[in-house]
Coordinates of all heavy atoms in Angstrom, one line a residue:
Q163 N 126.0 107.2 135.1 CA 125.5 107.3 133.8 C 125.4 105.9 133.2 O 125.8 104.9 133.8 CB 126.5 108.1 132.9 CG 127.9 107.6 132.9 CD 128.9 108.4 132.1 OE1 128.6 108.9 131.0 NE2 130.0 108.7 132.7
P164 N 124.7 105.8 132.0 CA 124.5 104.4 131.4 C 125.8 103.7 131.1 O 126.9 104.3 130.9 CB 123.8 104.8 130.1 CG 123.2 106.1 130.3 CD 124.1 106.8 131.2
D165 N 125.7 102.4 131.0 CA 126.9 101.5 130.7 C 127.4 101.8 129.3 O 126.6 102.3 128.4 CB 126.5 100.0 130.8 CG 126.3 99.6 132.2 OD1 126.6 100.3 133.1 OD2 125.9 98.4 132.4
F166 N 128.7 101.6 129.1 CA 129.3 101.8 127.8 C 129.4 100.5 127.0 O 129.6 99.5 127.6 CB 130.7 102.4 128.0 CG 130.8 103.9 128.1 CD1 130.5 104.4 129.4 CD2 131.0 104.7 127.1 CE1 130.6 105.8 129.6 CE2 131.1 106.1 127.2 CZ 130.8 106.6 128.5
L167 N 129.4 100.7 125.7 CA 129.9 99.7 124.8 C 131.3 100.1 124.3 O 131.4 101.3 123.9 CB 129.0 99.4 123.6 CG 127.6 98.8 123.9 CD1 126.9 98.6 122.6 CD2 127.7 97.6 124.7
N168 N 132.3 99.3 124.3 CA 133.6 99.6 124.0 C 134.2 98.6 123.0 O 133.8 97.4 123.1 CB 134.5 99.6 125.2 CG 134.1 100.7 126.2 OD1 134.3 101.9 125.9 ND2 133.6 100.4 127.3
M169 N 135.1 99.0 122.2 CA 135.8 98.1 121.3 C 137.1 98.8 120.9 O 137.3 100.0 121.1 CB 135.0 97.7 120.1 CG 134.6 98.9 119.2 SD 133.4 98.4 117.9 CE 134.1 97.0 117.2
V170 N 138.0 98.0 120.2 CA 139.2 98.6 119.7 C 139.3 98.1 118.2 O 139.0 97.0 117.8 CB 140.4 98.1 120.5 CG1 141.7 98.5 119.8 CG2 140.4 98.6 121.9
V171 N 139.8 99.1 117.4 CA 140.1 98.8 116.0 C 141.6 99.1 115.7 O 142.2 100.0 116.3 CB 139.2 99.5 115.0 CG1 137.7 99.1 115.2 CG2 139.4 101.0 115.0
E172 N 142.1 98.4 114.7 CA 143.5 98.6 114.2 C 143.3 99.1 112.8 O 142.5 98.5 112.0 CB 144.3 97.4 114.2 CG 145.7 97.6 113.6 CD 146.5 96.3 113.5 OE1 146.0 95.2 113.8 OE2 147.6 96.4 113.0
V173 N 143.9 100.3 112.5 CA 143.8 100.8 111.2 C 145.3 101.1 110.7 O 146.1 101.5 111.4 CB 143.0 102.1 111.1 CG1 143.6 103.2 112.0 CG2 142.7 102.6 109.7
E174 N 145.5 100.8 109.4 CA 146.7 101.2 108.7 C 146.5 102.5 108.0 O 145.6 102.6 107.2 CB 147.1 100.1 107.7 CG 148.5 100.3 107.1 CD 148.9 99.2 106.2 OE1 148.2 99.0 105.2 OE2 149.8 98.4 106.5
T175 N 147.2 103.5 108.4 CA 146.8 104.9 107.9 C 148.1 105.6 107.4 O 149.2 105.4 107.8 CB 146.2 105.7 109.1 OG1 145.8 107.0 108.5 CG2 147.2 105.9 110.2
S176 N 147.8 106.4 106.4 CA 148.8 107.3 105.9 C 148.7 108.7 106.5 O 149.5 109.6 106.2 CB 148.7 107.4 104.3 OG 147.5 107.9 104.0
L177 N 147.7 108.9 107.3 CA 147.5 110.2 107.9 C 148.5 110.5 109.0 O 148.8 109.5 109.8 CB 146.1 110.3 108.6 CG 144.9 110.2 107.7 CD1 143.6 110.2 108.5 CD2 144.9 111.2 106.6
A178 N 149.0 111.7 109.1 CA 149.9 112.1 110.2 C 149.0 112.0 111.5 O 147.8 112.1 111.4 CB 150.4 113.5 110.0
S179 N 149.7 111.9 112.6 CA 149.0 111.8 113.9 C 147.9 112.9 114.1 O 146.8 112.6 114.5 CB 150.0 111.7 115.1 OG 150.7 112.9 115.1
M180 N 148.3 114.1 113.9 CA 147.3 115.2 114.1 C 146.2 115.2 113.1 O 145.1 115.6 113.4 CB 148.0 116.6 114.1 CG 149.0 116.7 115.3 SD 148.2 116.4 116.9 CE 147.1 117.7 117.1
E181 N 146.5 114.8 111.9 CA 145.4 114.6 110.8 C 144.5 113.5 111.3 O 143.3 113.6 111.1 CB 146.0 114.2 109.5 CG 146.8 115.3 108.8 CD 147.3 114.8 107.5 OE1 148.3 114.0 107.5 OE2 146.8 115.2 106.4
L182 N 145.0 112.4 111.8 CA 144.2 111.3 112.3 C 143.3 111.8 113.4 O 142.1 111.6 113.4 CB 145.1 110.2 112.7 CG 144.3 108.9 113.3 CD1 143.4 108.3 112.3 CD2 145.3 107.9 113.8
L183 N 143.9 112.5 114.3 CA 143.1 113.0 115.4 C 141.9 113.9 114.9 O 140.8 113.8 115.4 CB 143.9 113.8 116.4 CG 143.2 114.5 117.6 CD1 142.6 113.4 118.5 CD2 144.1 115.4 118.4
G184 N 142.2 114.8 114.0 CA 141.2 115.7 113.5 C 140.1 115.0 112.8 O 138.9 115.3 112.9
T185 N 140.5 114.0 112.0 CA 139.5 113.1 111.3 C 138.6 112.4 112.3 O 137.4 112.3 112.1 CB 140.2 112.2 110.3 OG1 141.0 112.9 109.4 CG2 139.2 111.3 109.5
L186 N 139.2 111.8 113.3 CA 138.4 111.1 114.3 C 137.5 112.1 115.1 O 136.3 111.7 115.4 CB 139.4 110.4 115.3 CG 140.2 109.3 114.7 CD1 141.2 108.8 115.8 CD2 139.4 108.2 114.1
Q187 N 137.9 113.3 115.3 CA 137.0 114.3 116.0 C 135.9 114.7 115.0 O 134.8 114.9 115.5 CB 137.8 115.5 116.4 CG 138.7 115.2 117.6 CD 139.7 116.3 118.0 OE1 140.0 117.2 117.2 NE2 140.1 116.3 119.2
D188 N 136.2 114.7 113.7 CA 135.1 115.0 112.8 C 134.1 113.8 112.8 O 132.9 114.1 112.7 CB 135.7 115.2 111.4 CG 136.5 116.5 111.2 OD1 136.3 117.4 112.0 OD2 137.2 116.6 110.2
I189 N 134.6 112.6 112.8 CA 133.7 111.4 112.9 C 132.8 111.5 114.1 O 131.6 111.3 114.1 CB 134.5 110.1 112.8 CG1 135.1 110.0 111.4 CG2 133.6 108.9 113.1 CD1 136.1 108.9 111.3
E190 N 133.4 111.8 115.3 CA 132.7 112.0 116.5 C 131.6 113.0 116.3 O 130.4 112.8 116.7 CB 133.6 112.4 117.7 CG 134.5 111.3 118.2 CD 135.5 111.9 119.3 OE1 135.6 113.1 119.4 OE2 136.0 111.0 120.0
A191 N 131.9 114.2 115.8 CA 130.9 115.2 115.6 C 129.8 114.8 114.6 O 128.6 115.1 114.9 CB 131.6 116.5 115.0
D192 N 130.2 114.1 113.6 CA 129.2 113.5 112.6 C 128.2 112.6 113.3 O 127.1 112.5 112.9 CB 129.8 112.8 111.4 CG 130.6 113.8 110.5 OD1 130.4 115.0 110.7 OD2 131.4 113.3 109.7
L193 N 128.7 111.9 114.4 CA 127.9 111.0 115.1 C 127.2 111.7 116.4 O 126.9 111.0 117.3 CB 128.7 109.7 115.5 CG 129.2 108.9 114.3 CD1 130.1 107.8 114.8 CD2 128.0 108.4 113.5
Q194 N 127.2 113.0 116.3 CA 126.5 113.8 117.3 C 127.2 113.9 118.7 O 126.5 114.1 119.7 CB 125.0 113.3 117.5 CG 124.2 113.2 116.2 CD 124.2 114.4 115.3 OE1 123.9 115.5 115.8 NE2 124.6 114.3 114.1
R195 N 128.5 113.7 118.7 CA 129.3 113.8 119.9 C 129.2 115.3 120.3 O 129.5 116.2 119.6 CB 130.7 113.4 119.7 CG 131.7 113.8 120.8 CD 131.6 112.9 122.1 NE 132.4 113.4 123.2 CZ 133.5 112.9 123.5 NH1 134.1 111.9 122.9 NH2 134.1 113.4 124.6
V196 N 128.8 115.5 121.6 CA 128.9 116.9 122.2 C 129.7 116.8 123.4 O 129.5 116.0 124.3 CB 127.5 117.4 122.5 CG1 127.5 118.8 123.1 CG2 126.6 117.4 121.3
R197 N 130.8 117.6 123.5 CA 131.7 117.6 124.7 C 131.1 118.6 125.7 O 131.3 119.8 125.5 CB 133.1 117.9 124.3 CG 133.7 116.9 123.3 CD 135.1 117.3 122.9 NE 135.5 116.4 121.8 CZ 136.2 115.3 122.0 NH1 136.5 115.0 123.3 NH2 136.6 114.6 121.0
V198 N 130.5 118.0 126.8 CA 130.0 118.9 127.8 C 130.7 118.6 129.2 O 131.2 119.6 129.7 CB 128.4 118.6 128.0 CG1 127.9 119.4 129.1 CG2 127.7 118.9 126.7
V199 N 130.7 117.4 129.6 CA 131.3 117.0 130.9 C 132.4 116.0 130.6 O 132.2 115.0 129.9 CB 130.2 116.4 131.8 CG1 130.8 116.0 133.1 CG2 129.1 117.4 132.0
R200 N 133.6 116.2 131.3 CA 134.6 115.3 131.1 C 134.2 113.9 131.7 O 133.6 113.8 132.7 CB 135.9 115.7 131.9 CG 137.0 114.8 131.7 CD 138.3 115.3 132.4 NE 139.4 114.5 132.0 CZ 140.6 114.6 132.5 NH1 140.8 115.5 133.4 NH2 141.5 113.8 132.1
W201 N 134.4 112.9 130.9 CA 134.0 111.5 131.2 C 132.5 111.3 131.3 O 132.0 110.4 131.8 CB 134.7 111.0 132.4 CG 136.2 110.9 132.4 CD1 137.0 110.6 131.3 CD2 137.1 111.1 133.5 NE1 138.3 110.6 131.6 CE2 138.4 110.9 132.9 CE3 136.9 111.4 134.8 CZ2 139.5 111.0 133.7 CZ3 138.1 111.5 135.6 CH2 139.3 111.3 135.0
G202 N 131.8 112.3 130.7 CA 130.3 112.2 130.7 C 129.7 111.4 129.6 O 130.5 110.8 128.8
P203 N 128.4 111.2 129.6 CA 127.8 110.5 128.5 C 128.1 111.0 127.1 O 128.3 112.2 127.0 CB 126.3 110.6 128.8 CG 126.2 111.2 130.2 CD 127.4 111.9 130.5
R204 N 128.2 110.1 126.2 CA 128.5 110.5 124.8 C 128.0 109.5 123.8 O 128.0 108.3 124.1 CB 130.0 110.8 124.6 CG 130.9 109.7 125.2 CD 132.3 110.3 125.4 NE 133.1 109.4 126.1 CZ 133.3 109.4 127.4 NH1 132.7 110.3 128.2 NH2 134.1 108.6 128.0
T205 N 127.7 110.0 122.6 CA 127.3 109.1 121.5 C 128.5 108.4 121.0 O 128.4 107.2 120.6 CB 126.6 109.9 120.4 OG1 127.5 110.9 119.9 CG2 125.3 110.5 120.8
M206 N 129.7 109.0 120.9 CA 130.8 108.4 120.4 C 132.1 109.0 121.0 O 132.2 110.3 121.0 CB 130.9 108.4 118.9 CG 132.0 107.7 118.2 SD 132.3 106.0 118.7 CE 130.7 105.3 118.3
D207 N 133.0 108.2 121.4 CA 134.3 108.7 121.8 C 135.3 107.8 121.1 O 135.2 106.6 121.2 CB 134.5 108.5 123.3 CG 135.8 109.0 123.9 OD1 136.3 110.1 123.4 OD2 136.3 108.4 124.8
I208 N 136.3 108.4 120.4 CA 137.3 107.7 119.7 C 138.7 108.2 120.2 O 139.0 109.4 120.0 CB 137.2 107.8 118.2 CG1 135.8 107.5 117.7 CG2 138.2 106.9 117.5 CD1 135.6 107.8 116.2
D209 N 139.4 107.3 120.8 CA 140.7 107.7 121.3 C 141.8 107.0 120.5 O 141.7 105.8 120.1 CB 140.9 107.2 122.8 CG 140.0 108.0 123.7 OD1 139.8 109.2 123.5 OD2 139.6 107.4 124.8
V210 N 142.9 107.7 120.2 CA 144.1 107.2 119.6 C 144.9 106.5 120.8 O 145.4 107.2 121.7 CB 145.0 108.2 118.9 CG1 146.2 107.6 118.3 CG2 144.2 109.0 117.9
L211 N 144.9 105.2 120.8 CA 145.6 104.5 121.9 C 147.1 104.4 121.5 O 148.0 104.6 122.4 CB 145.1 103.1 122.0 CG 143.5 103.0 122.3 CD1 143.1 101.6 122.2 CD2 143.2 103.7 123.6
F212 N 147.4 104.0 120.3 CA 148.8 103.9 119.8 C 148.9 104.4 118.4 O 147.9 104.2 117.6 CB 149.3 102.4 119.8 CG 149.5 101.8 121.2 CD1 148.6 100.8 121.6 CD2 150.5 102.2 122.1 CE1 148.8 100.2 122.9 CE2 150.6 101.6 123.3 CZ 149.8 100.6 123.7
Y213 N 149.9 105.1 118.1 CA 150.2 105.5 116.7 C 151.6 105.0 116.3 O 152.6 105.6 116.6 CB 150.1 107.0 116.6 CG 150.3 107.6 115.2 CD1 149.2 107.6 114.3 CD2 151.5 108.1 114.8 CE1 149.4 108.1 113.0 CE2 151.7 108.6 113.5 CZ 150.6 108.6 112.6 OH 150.8 109.1 111.4
G214 N 151.6 103.7 115.8 CA 152.8 103.1 115.6 C 153.6 102.9 116.9 O 152.9 102.6 117.9
D215 N 154.9 103.1 116.9 CA 155.6 103.1 118.2 C 156.0 104.5 118.6 O 156.9 104.7 119.4 CB 156.8 102.2 118.0 CG 157.8 102.7 117.0 OD1 157.5 103.7 116.3 OD2 158.9 102.0 116.8
E216 N 155.3 105.5 118.1 CA 155.6 106.9 118.4 C 155.1 107.3 119.8 O 154.1 106.8 120.3 CB 155.0 107.8 117.4 CG 155.6 107.7 116.0 CD 155.2 108.8 115.1 OE1 154.9 110.0 115.5 OE2 155.1 108.6 113.9
V217 N 155.9 108.2 120.4 CA 155.5 108.8 121.6 C 155.2 110.3 121.3 O 156.1 111.0 120.8 CB 156.6 108.7 122.7 CG1 156.2 109.4 124.0 CG2 156.9 107.2 123.0
I218 N 154.0 110.7 121.6 CA 153.5 112.1 121.2 C 153.0 112.7 122.5 O 152.1 112.1 123.2 CB 152.5 112.0 120.1 CG1 153.0 111.3 118.9 CG2 152.0 113.5 119.8 CD1 152.0 110.9 117.9
A219 N 153.4 113.9 122.8 CA 152.9 114.7 123.9 C 152.6 116.1 123.5 O 153.6 116.9 123.6 CB 153.8 114.6 125.1
T220 N 151.4 116.4 123.1 CA 151.0 117.8 122.8 C 149.8 118.1 123.6 O 149.2 117.2 124.3 CB 150.7 118.0 121.3 OG1 149.5 117.3 121.0 CG2 151.9 117.5 120.5

Side-chain angles (χ1 to χ4, degrees):
Q163 59 181 312
D165 289 352
F166 275 83
L167 292 186
N168 296 289
M169 64 187 312
V170 172
V171 300
E172 177 186 1
V173 62
E174 187 177 65
T175 186
S176 61
L177 298 177
S179 60
M180 293 308 293
E181 288 178 291
L182 178 61
L183 177 64
T185 302
L186 296 174
Q187 289 173 338
D188 289 345
I189 293 169
E190 289 177 342
D192 291 347
L193 296 174
Q194 310 306 309
R195 166 77 187 260
V196 178
R197 295 175 189 271
V198 178
V199 178
R200 185 175 187 188
W201 297 327
R204 50 201 170 262
T205 56
M206 183 55 56
D207 183 38
I208 309 173
D209 291 328
V210 180
L211 304 174
F212 294 109
Y213 183 81
D215 60 358
E216 290 190 33
V217 176
I218 303 166
T220 70

